[in-house]
Amino acid sequence: MKRAKIEKGFVEKGRREGTSTCPGLDVFASPTAHETVPAAARNIQLPPAWQSLGGSSGTGWHYYSDLIACPQRSYYRHTLNIVPVTTSKALVIGSLIHLALALYYKFKLPLVESFEAMWRSPDLPAAYRVEGEQADEIKAVCLRVLTGYAETYKDDHQRYEVLAVEEVAKTTLGGFPVSCRFDLVLREKNSFRISIIDHKTTSAMTSEFSQGFSFDGQLLFLPICWNATLGKTYGPPATIVINALVKTRVPQFSRMTYPVANGAKLEEFKRQFVKLVRGVKGKEPIKLGLYNGACRSPYICSYLPICENGWEIVCDEYRVEKP
C-alpha cells in the first residue's frame, strides 16, 4: 500500500467528519444520581498537567521493536499515527494504572483516592473515557489492583528514594535517535542500589508475558539509555525490575528482578540493534500479511485487518492520533 494513498484517505476522512481525532465522551465530569464520591477523593488536588504523565516516548524501544519485527506495522503506528477507533479495555486499564502509579511515586498521592479523582476529572484523556457497563468494569478492576498494590508496597517511600517518574531521556545509538521513558527509578536508602522499574499489567503470568524479543530487548535497551543520560548524574543501575500487576480477581503482584547485563553484552546488543535497524530503516514498507510471525504472536496485531482486507474495507475502524 502506497503512503500517499493512505495519507490522502485520512485527509478525505477528516474532511467528511470535520476532525482527525475521535471525539471523547465526557462521562466522568460529574457524578451520576446513583454514585457518590468518596470524601478523600474530593480532597485530592491533582497536580497541573497530570494527564501528560506517561504515554509514548517517541523513538523508544516499542518504536524500534515494531520497526524490526514488522516495518508495515511500524509505518501505520509510528509514521501515520493511526490507531484503532476502539481502544482496548486492557490498554485503558494499563494506562490508568500507570497514571495512578505516577501520581503515587512522583507526588506521594494516595493510590486509590488519586485514582478516584483522576477518574472523575474532566481532564481525563479522551482515549480513556468509556461508558456503561464497560466503565464500571474498568473502574472496578483498577480499584481492585490499586488497593492491593498500595497494601503490598506500602513501605516503598520509606525504603526508597525516587529518582525519576515517567521521565523521558534522549540520546543516540549508532547514529539513530532513541528516547526512553522511565516509568520509575528507585534508589534503595540502605544499599544505594539503583533499580529501573517498568510497570506492566497483565491478565495472567504466562511465558508470553515474560520472554521473547520485545521483552528481552527492553531489559538491554533500558540500561543503555539510562547510562547515556540520567546515569551520568545518578550512577549505573544495579537491576532492571519488571513490576507486574496481575489483574486476577484477587490481584497478584510480582517484582521480577534482573541484574543489568555486563558491558560486553550491552555492546553486542548495540551492534545487533544498529544492524537490524539499518536493514529496515528508510525502506518503503511492504505488505507482509500473514507471512510475518509478528502478526499473531504473542497477540494479534492491531493492524492485521488492514493487511488481510485492504485499507478501503477497514478504514473506518481507525483514526489519526495526535503525535
Side-chain angles (χ1 to χ4, degrees), residues 271-290:
R271 287 192 291 271
Q272 291 298 324
F273 171 86
V274 171
K275 180 180 178 181
L276 289 169
V277 174
R278 281 178 179 164
V280 295
K281 190 74 172 175
K283 292 185 177 180
E284 182 72 17
I286 58 173
K287 183 175 179 180
L288 297 173
L290 301 178

Side-chain angles (χ1 to χ4, degrees), residues 103-272:
L103 293 172
Y104 175 66
Y105 285 105
K106 191 173 183 70
F107 301 102
K108 295 186 178 181
L109 295 180
L111 267 174
V112 174
E113 291 81 358
S114 61
F115 170 79
E116 289 274 11
M118 181 178 70
W119 176 256
R120 305 189 62 80
S121 170
D123 296 324
L124 185 71
Y128 309 150
R129 296 183 181 278
V130 287
E131 60 183 344
E133 292 182 1
Q134 191 176 55
D136 294 338
E137 182 182 355
I138 287 173
K139 181 180 179 181
V141 171
C142 289
L143 286 174
R144 192 163 62 235
V145 171
L146 292 172
T147 300
Y149 187 95
E151 177 61 28
T152 303
Y153 300 116
K154 59 186 177 183
D155 297 328
D156 271 4
H157 283 296
Q158 285 71 46
R159 293 183 58 195
Y160 301 103
E161 176 189 0
V162 177
L163 301 184
V165 177
E166 296 293 343
E167 189 160 342
V168 176
K170 298 181 179 181
T171 184
T172 59
L173 191 54
F176 297 108
V178 298
S179 57
C180 190
R181 181 181 292 277
F182 298 101
D183 289 349
L184 177 65
V185 182
L186 299 177
R187 178 161 56 196
E188 193 169 10
K189 292 180 178 179
N190 291 334
S191 67
F192 301 103
R193 287 162 53 92
I194 294 174
S195 295
I196 299 174
I197 299 177
D198 195 72
H199 306 310
K200 292 188 184 297
T201 55
T202 181
S203 297
M205 289 290 287
T206 64
S207 59
E208 290 180 339
F209 170 78
S210 59
Q211 65 184 27
F213 168 73
S214 181
F215 183 89
D216 295 341
Q218 189 174 26
L219 295 181
L220 298 168
F221 192 81
L222 286 171
I224 288 173
C225 290
W226 174 265
N227 290 335
T229 55
L230 300 178
K232 294 179 179 180
T233 300
Y234 296 111
T239 57
I240 307 297
V241 179
I242 303 301
N243 190 27
L245 298 85
V246 189
K247 302 172 292 184
T248 44
R249 182 164 294 278
V250 177
Q252 303 171 48
F253 307 96
S254 175
R255 288 185 170 173
M256 304 156 60
T257 303
Y258 302 87
V260 172
N262 60 39
K265 189 167 184 178
L266 293 179
E267 288 301 319
E268 176 60 24
F269 174 79
K270 290 181 186 179
R271 287 192 291 271
Q272 291 298 324

